[in-house]
Amino acid sequence: MGEMSGLARVTAGGIVSPFTRLRRLLGDVRPGHEQPIEMTVGEPHETVPAFVADQMAEAAATLTNYPAIRGSDQLRSAIATWIGRRYSLGAAAPDPAREVHPLNGSREGLFFALLPAIGRRPDLARPAVLMPNPYFQAYNGSANCVNADAVYLDATAATGFLPDIDALAADEALLKRTAAFYLCSPANPQGAMASAAYIARAIDLARRYDFMLFVDECYSEIYTGAPPPGGLEVAAATPDRFRNVVTFNSLSKRSNVPGLRSGFAAGDGDFLETMAELRNLVAPQMPGPQQHASAALWSDEQHVQVIRDAYRAKFDVCDDVLGKRFGYGRPDGGFFLWLDVSELGGGEEATVTLWKRYGLKVVPGAFLAMPDREGNNPGDAYIRMALVHDLATTREALQRLVASVT
């Protein structure tokens, strides 16, 4: 028998989420502390903006109607206005009718978008889908479901924790068979920020070789210094505007409402028209109350600043407790720590040790990345920690980590 296809691997349960792998790794290991601390899932625990519940109640009557797959005019307009305001686009802001598409969280959009990206390139016998390594599981899952060749571009300390855009530009054979390139900025989990020049090069490659550039910007509003440049911000300044470019964002991190399941795709209008029809066949609509609350959240910046300041305070704690241990440096964006625990035996061994001795649960970096043909995994030496708890819990977790090597 030949090699199993990607779709066959997915449907046979052969591609397992990092959290399932973590559960299996720890198995029956009991936490070595009476008060365990979990820092695995990027699920913010900050205060939910007070007006969200009121906004949802205000729109309760919409539950008697099927919501439109493309979302309400109110929501699309609020998203387009936010994009224009956030990136100072003025008249170049997206057209809310054609260039904005609401989603039930960005993950389903990142998954579904690859289907029309593959469909628009029927000339590619074995299309390649490029993604950073480490990667977000939706990228890899979608690439396997369409039986594409998932190409993992290592994002290591040597490359600034982003894919090496120079090496990619030099690989013409790969680019000619590429259908899509997933770029995450700020990067998950490393927090590296792609510059405007980096994004511009990625856009140029996408147009030159006619593939889709999917820019995952879910952590764009959690940053410590200057705000990250955006894919549409860079694309809007080009003659072709948003052609070949779609960005994805979410309220989960920006507004601390992961349970609202609200995000969007924005950019290339022709592509989004096709994607909307695909979602109309197989995806759920966002309920009316969620749409109404989402529009209010995209229209308000005060709560975002409060949340951003809370994360800055957590990184102040990291600066104080960690110093330069584990290769720590305050990331440009996001709320993860990507720590080199080689002195603890690497990511998997450290994960078991931290749980067994200190009741601290983290994710091995190798579970978020893919090894190369020689078996080298860029995440092997690392663990990921999500700074989603209050300051006291964050400090306690980091002190337990430091205690493991002192």
Side-chain angles (χ1 to χ4, degrees), residues 95-386:
D95 175 1
R98 292 193 72 253
E99 296 175 332
V100 172
H101 188 71
L103 302 165
N104 291 288
S106 58
R107 178 167 64 172
E108 63 118 334
L110 288 162
F111 179 90
F112 281 126
L114 189 53
L115 278 68
I118 296 292
R120 65 185 289 280
R121 292 298 308 274
D123 56 306
L124 301 178
R126 177 68 172 174
V129 176
L130 316 181
M131 65 193 73
N133 195 30
Y135 56 84
F136 179 48
Q137 59 189 2
Y139 315 157
N140 188 48
S142 190
N144 277 275
C145 281
V146 298
N147 286 328
D149 183 7
V151 178
Y152 307 97
L153 307 175
D154 286 355
T156 65
T159 65
F161 291 118
L162 293 168
D164 186 336
I165 198 74
D166 292 328
L168 178 60
D171 195 342
E172 188 171 19
L174 173 61
L175 291 167
K176 283 182 175 179
R177 64 187 187 91
T178 295
F181 175 18
Y182 286 103
L183 174 64
C184 185
S185 177
N188 172 9
Q190 312 97 315
M193 185 187 299
S195 67
Y198 184 107
I199 295 170
R201 291 199 67 191
I203 292 173
D204 177 67
L205 292 174
R207 290 173 177 166
R208 193 186 315 170
Y209 294 96
D210 195 23
F211 59 79
M212 294 303 302
L213 176 65
F214 296 145
V215 190
D216 182 352
E217 300 178 346
C218 288
Y219 297 91
S220 69
E221 303 314 289
I222 308 298
Y223 52 84
T224 55
L232 299 190
E233 175 185 15
V234 177
T238 68
D240 287 325
R241 202 158 170 272
F242 302 148
R243 183 170 67 85
N244 292 78
V245 181
V246 176
T247 63
F248 298 81
N249 214 319
S250 165
L251 290 171
S252 295
K253 279 69 176 176
R254 174 189 180 270
S255 298
N256 194 49
V257 285
L260 193 66
R261 307 313 306 137
S262 180
F264 69 78
D268 188 321
D270 291 338
F271 181 86
L272 289 179
E273 282 292 307
T274 303
M275 181 174 162
E277 290 305 314
L278 169 68
R279 290 191 69 254
N280 204 25
L281 291 174
V282 296
Q285 307 100 310
M286 188 190 303
Q290 278 93 320
Q291 293 195 42
H292 191 63
S294 297
L297 286 165
W298 288 116
S299 300
D300 180 75
E301 290 296 329
Q302 183 175 359
H303 75 279
V304 183
Q305 186 61 54
V306 171
I307 293 169
R308 189 179 299 125
D309 289 343
Y311 285 112
R312 285 173 173 158
K314 293 177 189 181
F315 279 111
D316 288 343
V317 173
C318 295
D319 294 348
D320 180 46
V321 178
L322 294 180
K324 296 186 181 300
R325 293 183 180 91
F326 310 110
Y328 167 74
R330 186 182 288 227
D332 294 331
F335 53 58
F336 292 115
L337 298 179
W338 185 241
L339 302 177
D340 186 336
V341 289
S342 298
E343 59 190 307
L344 290 173
E348 288 193 50
E349 185 174 334
T351 296
V352 175
T353 298
L354 291 171
W355 183 240
K356 185 176 183 178
R357 297 184 183 176
Y358 302 94
L360 177 61
K361 188 177 287 187
V362 300
V363 181
F367 290 4
L368 305 169
M370 190 68 67
D372 61 21
R373 289 184 176 87
E374 285 72 43
N376 300 311
N377 188 315
D380 273 339
Y382 293 85
I383 57 171
R384 189 188 80 172
M385 299 175 67

Side-chain angles (χ1 to χ4, degrees), residues 17 39 79 109 265:
S17 85
M39 304 188 77
I79 293 169

Side-chain angles (χ1 to χ4, degrees), residues 53-67 286-293:
D54 292 339
Q55 288 288 322
M56 293 182 71
E58 188 177 283
T62 62
L63 292 173
T64 62
N65 305 109
Y66 285 114
M286 188 190 303
Q290 278 93 320
Q291 293 195 42
H292 191 63

